[in-house]
Amino acid sequence: MITVRLKPELEKALEVTAQKFGMTKSELIRQSIEDYLKKLEQKPSAWELGKELFGRYSSGKGNLSTNRKEILKQKLWEKHFEENIG
């Protein structure tokens, strides 16, 4: 058994809704929790939501995570070189 404390406005809304559907407050709460948990189970993962986009805009470089500092240093050097020579 669980005891839940609700704000007075929410408890009133619960009471009105339960009466509207011919249910007790407990029945409405149980059904609402069951429905919510089912929706959570059906919710796709972050991978499922983005799998069509992952790798779509690839730089073509497979070493960005391991050589990021060296790549950045090279880009900055090239930019500096172009600004001073160009």
Side-chain angles (χ1 to χ4, degrees):
M1 182 169 168
I2 296 175
T3 302
V4 179
R5 296 179 196 269
L6 303 174
K7 294 179 182 179
E9 316 85 59
L10 184 55
E11 187 170 359
K12 183 63 178 169
L14 177 65
E15 188 176 328
V16 169
T17 304
Q19 286 176 354
K20 179 179 175 182
F21 289 104
M23 305 168 79
T24 65
K25 291 187 284 184
S26 292
E27 288 173 324
L28 180 58
I29 291 169
R30 269 193 299 277
Q31 186 63 51
S32 298
I33 292 172
E34 286 176 11
D35 291 348
Y36 180 75
L37 293 175
K38 283 179 189 175
K39 284 180 184 179
L40 286 178
E41 289 173 2
Q42 296 171 355
K43 194 173 187 178
S45 69
W47 169 255
E48 292 169 332
L49 290 173
K51 66 183 175 184
E52 298 299 321
L53 300 173
F54 299 143
R56 188 172 191 177
Y57 303 102
S58 175
S59 67
K61 297 179 181 179
N63 63 347
L64 288 178
S65 63
T66 55
N67 296 342
R68 67 190 183 285
K69 290 181 182 178
E70 189 59 39
I71 293 169
L72 179 59
K73 190 163 91 174
Q74 180 65 33
K75 289 283 185 189
L76 291 173
W77 171 253
E78 289 170 3
K79 182 177 179 179
H80 177 73
F81 184 76
E82 288 175 5
E83 289 175 355
N84 289 327
I85 300 296

